[in-house]
Amino acid sequence: ELMEIYKSTINDKENFINMRVSLFKELGEIDENSEIDELVKETGTYYTTHIDKDLFCWFAKINDRIVAVASMCIFCRIPYFQNPVGLEGYILNVYTLPEFRKKGAASKLITEIIAFSKNSTIKKLWLNSSEAGKEIYKSLGFKENDNEMELFL
C-alpha cells in the first residue's frame, strides 16, 4: 500500500480534530459518553487560528484515508549557547490509527518535521515520548533527557 505524506493546510481542520479525538479515546481521556462538543469546537478554533503560523501538521494517507498525524508547535525562548536564535519546535499529537501501525507512518512524519525544521531557523526539536514511540525517535537521532518537569495550574 502506497503511503502519502503531506503537510496540512487550513482545509485539514476536520482531519486534525478526528485524529485528535481518536488519540484521546485510545489514551482513555475520553470515551463514548464524554461530552466533547466544546473540545471539538475549541480544537477546530485552535487549528484554524494557529496553522502555518506556530502550528504545523503532517498527515499520512493510505488509499485516500488519513491513517496518521504528527504536529509541531513553534515557540521562541530566550537565546542560549546551543540555540542563539531561541526558536524551538515541540513535537506532539503523533498518532497512528491502530490498524495501520508498524508501517513506518510515524517515522516518515517525523522525518518530514526534521527536514522542514532544518530548512527553517528552528534549532531544537523536542517531544515527550510514549514507551511505544521511543525507539522510533531514537532511530531518528533524538536523545533521551529525563529532567523534564511539569506543573498544571
Side-chain angles (χ1 to χ4, degrees), residues 54-66:
D54 57 0
L55 171 69
F56 296 88
C57 297
W58 286 261
F59 289 103
K61 250 178 157 176
I62 295 177
N63 297 333
D64 269 345
R65 180 175 176 196
I66 301 288

Side-chain angles (χ1 to χ4, degrees), residues 102-117:
K102 304 286 184 216
K103 295 180 186 294
S107 294
K108 288 183 170 80
L109 290 166
I110 299 300
T111 299
E112 286 291 316
I113 291 177
I114 292 168
F116 175 86
S117 300

Side-chain angles (χ1 to χ4, degrees), residues 16-136:
F16 182 80
I17 292 169
N18 292 340
M19 291 300 281
R20 197 133 170 88
V21 168
S22 295
L23 169 63
F24 287 149
K25 283 182 179 166
E26 185 167 330
L27 292 174
E29 293 182 20
I30 58 175
D31 62 29
E32 297 308 320
N33 302 317
S34 299
E35 184 45 67
I36 63 167
D37 290 354
E38 184 182 19
L39 174 66
V40 166
K41 178 176 163 287
E42 294 301 332
T43 300
T45 301
Y46 181 89
Y47 183 85
T48 52
T49 306
H50 292 268
I51 195 64
D52 288 336
K53 296 181 185 79
D54 57 0
L55 171 69
F56 296 88
C57 297
W58 286 261
F59 289 103
K61 250 178 157 176
I62 295 177
N63 297 333
D64 269 345
R65 180 175 176 196
I66 301 288
V67 300
V69 63
S71 306
M72 175 174 62
C73 290
I74 310 273
F75 67 99
C76 199
R77 69 185 328 150
I78 300 168
Y80 55 101
F81 183 72
Q82 294 95 333
N83 189 356
V85 178
L87 210 58
E88 296 186 355
Y90 177 62
I91 298 171
L92 71 166
N93 199 45
V94 180
Y95 179 70
T96 303
L97 295 173
E99 63 269 33
F100 292 96
R101 291 184 186 154
K102 304 286 184 216
K103 295 180 186 294
S107 294
K108 288 183 170 80
L109 290 166
I110 299 300
T111 299
E112 286 291 316
I113 291 177
I114 292 168
F116 175 86
S117 300
K118 282 182 175 173
N119 282 322
S120 74
T121 51
I122 297 167
K123 293 291 175 225
K124 179 186 174 187
L125 294 175
W126 57 286
L127 54 86
N128 289 307
S129 177
S130 65
E131 281 305 314
K134 276 188 181 164
E135 291 311 311
I136 294 169

